[in-house]
Amino acid sequence: DTPSIPEPNPQLPPTVHYVPNFISRADEELLLRHIAAAPASRWTPGSGGRRTQNWGGRPGEAGVREALPDWLQPLVDALGRSGAWPADRLPNHVLINEFEPGAGLTPHTDGPLYIPRVATLSLGSDCVLDLHDSATTPPRSPCSSCRPRARWSSGGAAAFF
């Protein structure tokens, strides 16, 4: 049973929704097995203890589109059932980030290809999401010098929309 979008949380900006246990533990473990079984060619090394898998094509590359693998479709469908996405415009791209312990991203915006919505699903460990007001956050600033609007730690397979 897919949770629906919860009522607004006063500790979060009004456009952000936090859904604990968005998927079951069994589904989380299955997703992690699929991610681990992906061919090495699917992984792109990054900096600062991060590597990524792109599914659905690489954003911004004209004409580079591919169908999502069958194992991601139940997650995409769950986002639609939850109300996080309109049923006629479900996500067509999944970016999987793997971080070494203690690694993360500096403040950034995801750009116009990800407007008007993005979802983050934490698998395998807790996740801390620092949200910043882009009007007050200098570009390329380390998190320690930013003013967080909200800081939320998730447990289990939590989702942020």
Side-chain angles (χ1 to χ4, degrees), residues 5 15 33 45 55 58 60 82 127:
I5 293 179
T15 57
R33 285 195 303 272
W55 296 97
R58 295 193 182 273
S82 74
C127 159

Side-chain angles (χ1 to χ4, degrees), residues 123-146:
L123 301 173
S125 68
D126 288 350
C127 159
V128 174
L129 183 65
D130 284 312
L131 304 173
H132 303 268
D133 183 342
S134 61
T136 61
T137 303
R140 296 171 299 284
S141 297
C143 288
S144 60
S145 69
C146 300

Side-chain angles (χ1 to χ4, degrees), residues 54-57 66-73 76 90-94:
N54 276 288
W55 296 97
E66 64 183 5
L68 291 174
D70 291 342
W71 57 270
L72 282 171
Q73 199 58 52
V76 168
L90 293 175
N92 60 3
H93 177 258
V94 175

Side-chain angles (χ1 to χ4, degrees), residues 14-143:
T15 57
V16 176
H17 302 279
Y18 168 67
V19 183
N21 302 311
F22 183 73
I23 61 174
S24 69
R25 186 167 304 277
D27 286 343
E28 176 183 22
E29 291 169 2
L30 183 59
L31 283 170
L32 288 169
R33 285 195 303 272
H34 280 291
I35 292 166
S41 61
R42 274 291 175 181
W43 288 105
T44 302
S47 60
R50 171 186 177 208
R51 65 181 186 155
T52 60
Q53 288 182 18
N54 276 288
W55 296 97
R58 295 193 182 273
E61 292 183 15
V64 179
R65 297 179 201 251
E66 64 183 5
L68 291 174
D70 291 342
W71 57 270
L72 282 171
Q73 199 58 52
L75 178 59
V76 168
D77 293 343
L79 287 167
R81 284 191 311 274
S82 74
W85 257 262
D88 63 339
R89 294 204 30 113
L90 293 175
N92 60 3
H93 177 258
V94 175
L95 178 64
I96 297 171
N97 290 293
E98 179 184 73
F99 295 97
E100 293 176 6
L105 296 173
T106 57
H108 67 284
T109 59
D110 287 325
L113 292 175
Y114 293 93
I115 292 173
R117 57 186 49 92
V118 66
T120 298
L121 179 65
S122 173
L123 301 173
S125 68
D126 288 350
C127 159
V128 174
L129 183 65
D130 284 312
L131 304 173
H132 303 268
D133 183 342
S134 61
T136 61
T137 303
R140 296 171 299 284
S141 297
C143 288

